[in-house]
Amino acid sequence: MAVRKILTIADPRLYQVSEPVTKFDRKLRDLARDLFDSMYAAGGVGLAAVQIGVLKRIMVIDLLKEGFYKAVFVNPVLIEKSQELQQGEEGCLSVPGLSLPLARPKWVKVAYQDLMGKEHTIEAEMLMARALLHEMDHLDGKVFVDQLEPDLRLSVEEDIALIKKGAEPRHYKVPPYRRKAS
Ligand code: NI
């Protein structure tokens, strides 16, 4: 077990596109274990490898307690998404202290590989769809705070700038952010 440091958006690697996984070996399995360990230690439900500084297209999600799934997703690809959106609050271990409303497709279909390289597809809705989209965005160098509604984004601009400078949540302007989805 290895709990690894989770990068915040102060780190430029969070904005880089991760490389496809091509080797399904022991090293990949160790990486998956580290991802779960680091995610649980931080109290999260999803983590992408880039968040621990590994620019590979692998991510983990554990939403078993919420009635969904726990799995490792290697080289995930969005196949289909619903036009219908869901509202909900989103947070990210790389953006500590911020939880903000963001509209996402209600339903998605995603193709991915497991740790052995075997191909699968998953259909997911609500929170599981949100988690898949959030983590897949990380693999493309995208962070949820850059997808907020313009007015909302503007209202948290100062704190996002603070996080990017490496400040901790207690230094934010208006902690904590608990805004109701509207
Ligand atoms: Ni995240």
Side-chain angles (χ1 to χ4, degrees), residues 14 46-48 51 91-95 134-135 138 142-144:
L14 262 299
L47 194 67
Q51 292 178 276
C92 178
L93 294 175
S94 294
V95 193
H134 178 110
E135 301 310 331
H138 275 304
K142 292 190 275 183
V143 181
F144 88 102

Side-chain angles (χ1 to χ4, degrees), residues 34 41 46 105-106 134 145 154 166 169:
D34 284 1
K106 198 174 176 183
H134 178 110
V145 288
L154 206 60

Side-chain angles (χ1 to χ4, degrees), residues 11-71:
D11 194 299
R13 282 173 285 183
L14 262 299
Y15 297 95
Q16 290 180 23
V17 177
S18 294
E19 296 286 329
V21 170
T22 53
K23 279 190 190 168
F24 295 84
D25 55 6
R26 183 187 203 101
K27 211 175 148 191
L28 189 70
R29 295 193 288 279
D30 288 345
L31 174 59
R33 202 169 303 126
D34 284 1
L35 283 168
F36 276 119
D37 290 344
S38 308
M39 179 183 82
Y40 293 136
V45 294
L47 194 67
V50 62
Q51 292 178 276
I52 57 169
V54 180
L55 287 148
K56 293 281 181 193
R57 301 186 81 83
I58 173 174
M59 61 195 217
V60 299
I61 292 173
D62 184 352
L63 282 171
L64 278 180
K65 278 188 197 147
E66 288 74 14
F68 296 96
Y69 313 100
K70 170 186 172 176

